[in-house]
Amino acid sequence: MSSLISVLFDPDIVFLRYAFAAGILSSISFGVVGSYVVARRISTIAGAIAHCVLGGIGFALFMQERSDSILWTPLTGALMAALMAAFIIGLVSLRAGQREDTVINALWAVGMAIGLLFMARTSGYIDPMSFLFGNILMIGPADLQLMGIMAAFIILMVVLFYNKLVAVCFDEEFLELRGVPAHFYYFMLLVLTALSIVLLIRVVGIVLVIAMLTLPAAIAGQLSRSLAGMMGLAVLFSMGFTTGGIALSFETDLPTGPVIVVLAAASYLCLLIYRFIDGRLNKTTLHSK
Amino acid sequence: MDKLPVSFQQVSFSYENSIPVLDDVSFDIHARELVAMVGPNGGGKTTLLKLMTGMLTPSSGSVSLFGKKPLYARPRIGYMPQYLHFDPDFPITVREVVLMGRLGRGGIRGFLGWPDKKDRSKAMECLAHVEMDTLADRPFSDLSGGQKQRVMIARALACEPELLLLDEPTANVDSQTESRFMALLEELSEKITVIMVSHDMGFVSALVKSVLCVNRKVVVHPTSELTGTAIQDIYNCSMQMVRHDHRCTEKGHTHVIPDQRSL
């Protein structure tokens, strides 16, 4: 632990400070958007969006090699793919009805496949692993700035439209009947999800992002009675998991993303076990009376 | 003079190329009535309700609410969906659920969906109306089925509707709550029009003024005229006569004299 502290405050070594800052910043999106994802039960949709992002990253790398435009970076590619996926999946989930899961899962796989195909046709060595599992230790000041802007945007939208987004999660039909364009708010929710996913992929990667969008929110959901409370708690839990995960991975020399996710999952499991035992105990005391 | 709250003119409806659910249906519902909708499963009760709210549009014929198309009459409707429709674990308080009924107003505040003082007091007033005001800050998921149902009514009332549409409001409710509930609906129907889907043919409260029998066709009966042949017509088979004058109260099993007011 002493080495962690000394590295953290070493003026020549910045990566660890950046990593912690990224963890804290991303936790805001994890907690806030994750609560909507869990409450609206769209974690499959979020998963599909996340995996489609690989398609965008592959395409951007492919274009980067062939054009001089500074537009093509993995981040812009990811952003475009995420928004496109959110839009397509949104349409599918509103129109396809029964076949929704099939189409969403197909998009999930197709997005990844496209990304790998583009990467195969891009010269030089590209390691898809860093996109799939993230590398928080590679984060620079530019990433942090962007994360800050996106987190601020997400918070602004959620604060402004909190009640309508809650209503769309709880009962879309009723909102529509009140003359509110419920589908518009549903898409807003998906766009916010897509933005957070792009933001978060740098931290935990495509495969693990769903865990961070759902686990802190799921834990918070067990402990709170309103969505706002759930969001606040989820942000705090998420901050704890990212910070703790980074520290733990530094101490044990293990990859950061997986450590964060395992830490979150272990906490969720502990909570479930505690609830189970607590419920049992209450039952037996009731019976003994 | 008020326009008719609900008017169906030769309405037919079928879901994508299948057999018609409703076939050449015409009826009017007058202001300040308490109407129950009965009929077999798949007979078109929910479809009828969805046509009224404009969630579905008729294949032919026209539906008008207060003389307008349903879509434009929406602000005047309070709608209560079936109870099954909700995620039981959703983290939300009773008060927040009822405040949803205040969404969809104009202005910046309405656009953003933030309630003002009037919205809050109206929501509490509606909760008080269904005797749920003491539970306003409870999580919705902690409530019993009947309590949830009452919160849903409060939400529909928070819309300040002139027409209240209720989809099976008395499913999951015990008989004692049910009779209190019907009394509440009757009280409401002194000011607004109330249309409810009844969950089974066996139950139509004596408080109901008229009954819509729905099975591809729609026939309107004042309750006192509902006879065995009328039911037979709509079901196309001989059935046991349903006693609509039969109620259970806290005091025990009683039979009340059939309601003759609507004659």
Side-chain angles (χ1 to χ4, degrees):
Chain A
M1 193 53 110
S2 59
S3 69
L4 174 76
I5 305 287
S6 63
V7 170
L8 192 59
F9 291 105
D10 188 330
D12 295 326
I13 307 172
V14 291
F15 77 91
L16 201 59
R17 284 199 291 277
Y18 286 154
F20 278 117
I24 300 282
L25 270 181
S26 59
S27 293
I28 296 169
S29 324
F30 278 140
V32 173
V33 176
S35 297
Y36 281 125
V37 168
V38 168
R40 183 63 166 80
R41 306 201 169 189
I42 51 170
S43 57
T44 319
I45 290 181
I49 293 175
H51 286 75
C52 284
V53 161
L54 193 72
I57 292 174
F59 183 67
L61 291 171
F62 179 80
M63 289 303 288
Q64 206 171 28
E65 199 179 64
R66 280 161 184 75
S67 104
D68 297 326
S69 168
I70 52 155
L71 185 72
W72 299 108
T73 64
L75 187 74
T76 55
L79 196 60
M80 279 189 293
L83 292 177
M84 219 162 79
F87 188 71
I88 294 172
I89 292 170
L91 278 184
V92 167
S93 71
L94 289 178
R95 302 252 174 257
Q98 297 282 318
R99 290 275 163 266
E100 184 183 342
D101 61 327
T102 315
V103 181
I104 287 172
N105 283 309
L107 276 169
W108 178 311
V110 168
M112 290 204 90
I114 289 174
L116 291 173
L117 287 178
F118 275 119
M119 283 183 194
R121 277 284 172 266
T122 308
S123 61
Y125 177 71
I126 301 165
D127 182 14
M129 287 293 274
S130 74
F131 298 116
L132 289 180
F133 298 101
N135 197 343
I136 199 171
L137 302 179
M138 299 280 280
I139 279 169
D143 292 310
L144 283 181
Q145 256 175 21
L146 204 70
M147 280 183 172
I149 293 169
M150 276 198 187
F153 176 71
I154 287 170
I155 290 174
L156 182 75
M157 295 310 273
V158 167
V159 167
L160 284 180
F161 295 105
Y162 174 77
N163 287 311
K164 288 198 172 170
L165 289 173
V166 171
V168 107
C169 291
F170 184 70
D171 188 356
E172 209 174 313
E173 191 180 82
F174 184 80
L175 195 61
E176 190 78 43
L177 283 180
R178 293 313 305 147
V180 178
H183 292 171
F184 171 78
Y185 289 96
Y186 180 61
F187 274 102
M188 185 193 271
L189 198 61
L190 290 185
V191 166
L192 288 178
T193 309
L195 286 180
S196 335
I197 286 171
V198 171
L199 187 76
L200 302 172
I201 276 173
R202 291 290 283 182
V203 181
V204 283
I206 288 169
V207 178
L208 303 180
V209 79
I210 289 315
M212 283 311 286
L213 272 179
T214 50
L215 288 172
I219 296 172
Q222 299 262 325
L223 306 170
S224 45
R225 59 172 69 179
S226 78
L227 206 60
M230 180 174 170
M231 286 174 180
L233 269 182
V235 169
L236 290 181
F237 280 123
S238 182
M239 283 178 178
F241 297 144
T242 47
T243 311
I246 294 167
L248 210 63
S249 83
F250 183 83
E251 290 290 328
T252 53
D253 195 24
L254 285 168
T256 320
V259 172
I260 295 174
V261 168
V262 169
L263 190 65
S267 309
Y268 187 44
L269 190 66
C270 287
L271 180 74
L272 289 184
I273 292 172
Y274 169 75
R275 286 252 145 161
F276 179 73
I277 294 171
D278 195 42
R280 274 294 168 93
L281 285 179
N282 281 343
K283 231 181 224 172
T284 44
T285 46
L286 273 180
H287 278 300
S288 60
K289 275 176 192 170
Chain B
M1 184 57 211
D2 282 0
K3 298 253 172 60
L4 283 171
V6 179
S7 173
F8 275 56
Q9 298 301 322
Q10 281 131 31
V11 171
S12 295
F13 181 85
S14 56
Y15 291 97
E16 290 164 32
N17 307 323
S18 54
I19 39 162
V21 183
L22 295 170
D23 188 17
D24 192 23
V25 166
S26 299
F27 66 91
D28 292 330
I29 288 170
H30 298 274
R32 289 174 291 282
E33 258 190 289
L34 176 55
V35 182
M37 228 192 259
V38 296
N41 286 331
K45 287 174 292 181
T46 302
T47 304
L48 205 61
L49 218 55
K50 286 190 171 172
L51 284 167
M52 289 180 197
T53 56
M55 280 188 273
L56 296 173
T57 46
S59 314
S60 66
S62 75
V63 179
S64 66
L65 269 66
F66 303 105
K68 292 183 195 159
K69 283 188 174 165
L71 222 53
Y72 300 110
R74 274 181 177 177
R76 302 166 81 168
I77 305 175
Y79 174 69
M80 196 203 90
Q82 277 186 35
Y83 154 73
L84 280 178
H85 174 91
F86 300 103
D87 177 353
D89 294 329
F90 198 93
I92 192 165
T93 61
V94 168
R95 187 195 304 271
E96 284 178 300
V97 172
V98 178
L99 277 171
M100 251 174 233
R102 304 297 295 173
L103 288 172
R105 270 143 219 284
I108 284 283
R109 240 200 156 95
F111 173 66
L112 296 174
W114 286 98
D116 58 18
K117 255 197 194 127
K118 188 174 163 261
D119 292 330
R120 291 186 177 281
S121 67
K122 184 74 199 171
M124 283 311 289
E125 197 183 297
C126 295
L127 273 173
H129 218 93
V130 294
E131 299 162 37
M132 288 291 294
D133 45 337
T134 50
L135 302 179
D137 292 308
R138 283 278 192 86
F140 184 67
S141 54
D142 283 5
L143 303 184
S144 72
Q147 288 175 324
K148 279 183 181 151
Q149 214 91 344
R150 281 193 272 163
V151 173
M152 288 295 116
I153 302 266
R155 183 179 71 164
L157 289 176
C159 306
E160 298 183 88
E162 291 164 66
L163 171 63
L164 189 59
L165 303 175
L166 310 159
D167 201 348
E168 303 204 1
T170 48
N172 310 300
V173 169
D174 58 67
S175 58
Q176 190 186 332
T177 319
E178 188 174 296
S179 49
R180 280 232 300 277
F181 197 77
M182 288 310 300
L184 169 68
L185 291 186
E186 196 205 22
E187 186 198 321
L188 287 170
S189 70
E190 283 164 16
K191 289 189 186 129
I192 61 177
T193 311
V194 181
I195 303 176
M196 56 174 284
V197 173
S198 182
H199 58 105
D200 63 333
M201 191 57 210
F203 155 74
V204 173
S205 161
L207 298 173
V208 168
K209 304 264 180 359
S210 56
V211 176
L212 277 182
C213 295
V214 187
N215 188 17
R216 273 190 66 192
K217 297 280 182 187
V218 173
V219 186
V220 188
H221 300 284
T223 21
S224 49
E225 284 176 19
L226 193 65
T227 61
T229 46
I231 297 168
Q232 211 167 312
D233 284 348
I234 202 89
Y235 280 86
N236 288 322
C237 64
S238 159
M239 288 189 89
Q240 192 89 30
M241 174 64 174
V242 182
R243 293 203 56 172
H244 299 296
D245 53 348
H246 174 198
R247 270 191 293 173
C248 293
T249 63
E250 298 95 313
K251 289 171 194 145
H253 216 136
T254 56
H255 290 275
V256 294
I257 297 149
D259 189 273
Q260 298 289 325
R261 275 175 301 175
S262 34
L263 274 176

